[in-house]
Amino acid sequence: MSEGVEWAAHCCLLLDWLGEDGPVPTARIAAGYDLPRPYLNKQLQALVRAGIATSTPGARGGFRLARPLSEITMMDVVAAIEGTEPAFQCTEIRRRGVGSEAPESLFRGSCAVNTAMQKAELAWRKALAEQTLADVGAAATRGNPDLPGHVRAWYART
């Protein structure tokens, strides 16, 4: 999984914490996390395409959340950045090499490796779909309730 997922999830939390300030430009978001602006902008545009964020063009433009954190799951963020294709792709190598001479009857059932990977991926996707960004934000502030205020103060100075 790319680092873009981490960046996008953090940006969503940030956009929530800075929500009243209007759209947040990519340059400000990038400065706050010390990230390369062009690459971060690609992640933010992916969030826009997925309906997680909105983009306002122009000098006073930037990004905002399209909906509350409670309506955005971690799976929404992963799908926005990584896409919806399965992480594992079975290429049926069991039919090559020694398997190329095996009778077709040996391959009637599903590939056991593919079955195991699909089961694991389903569990992973389900767990991410059950966790909203509001849950993640609550966990982030549980040990540090001043975090959103600290972040807003930092952005107010820049």
Side-chain angles (χ1 to χ4, degrees), residues 7-93:
W7 296 9
H10 278 285
C11 287
C12 287
L13 295 175
L14 175 70
L15 292 173
D16 181 68
W17 295 339
L18 299 178
E20 304 106 37
D21 297 340
V24 184
T26 304
R28 286 189 74 208
I29 299 170
Y33 290 115
D34 194 23
L35 297 173
R37 191 174 54 82
Y39 185 62
L40 178 62
N41 193 59
K42 289 180 184 181
Q43 310 315 308
L44 293 167
Q45 290 298 331
L47 292 175
V48 170
R49 285 189 299 279
I52 294 170
T54 61
S55 175
T56 304
R60 296 183 129 351
F63 295 89
R64 298 182 102 148
L65 287 178
R67 54 190 198 260
L69 292 181
S70 61
E71 295 177 15
I72 305 167
T73 68
M74 287 298 292
M75 191 63 231
D76 293 334
V77 175
V78 170
I81 304 303
E82 297 291 325
T84 58
E85 290 296 312
F88 179 80
Q89 297 289 326
C90 182
T91 61
E92 283 289 343
I93 67 166

Side-chain angles (χ1 to χ4, degrees), residues 54-158:
T54 61
S55 175
T56 304
R60 296 183 129 351
F63 295 89
R64 298 182 102 148
L65 287 178
R67 54 190 198 260
L69 292 181
S70 61
E71 295 177 15
I72 305 167
T73 68
M74 287 298 292
M75 191 63 231
D76 293 334
V77 175
V78 170
I81 304 303
E82 297 291 325
T84 58
E85 290 296 312
F88 179 80
Q89 297 289 326
C90 182
T91 61
E92 283 289 343
I93 67 166
R94 65 187 181 147
R95 293 179 178 254
R96 299 191 315 224
V98 68
S100 67
E101 297 174 9
E104 187 63 30
S105 62
L106 290 180
F107 305 110
R108 285 196 186 121
S110 296
C111 171
V113 171
N114 187 42
T115 300
M117 294 301 286
Q118 285 179 346
K119 182 179 176 184
E121 183 159 345
L122 181 61
W124 171 76
R125 287 178 182 266
K126 184 176 184 263
L128 290 174
E130 290 172 348
Q131 194 167 180
T132 68
L133 284 176
D135 299 330
V136 175
T141 58
R142 192 169 296 122
N144 186 358
D146 297 330
L147 181 59
H150 173 75
V151 168
R152 280 191 296 276
W154 189 90
Y155 277 92
R157 290 191 312 264
T158 60

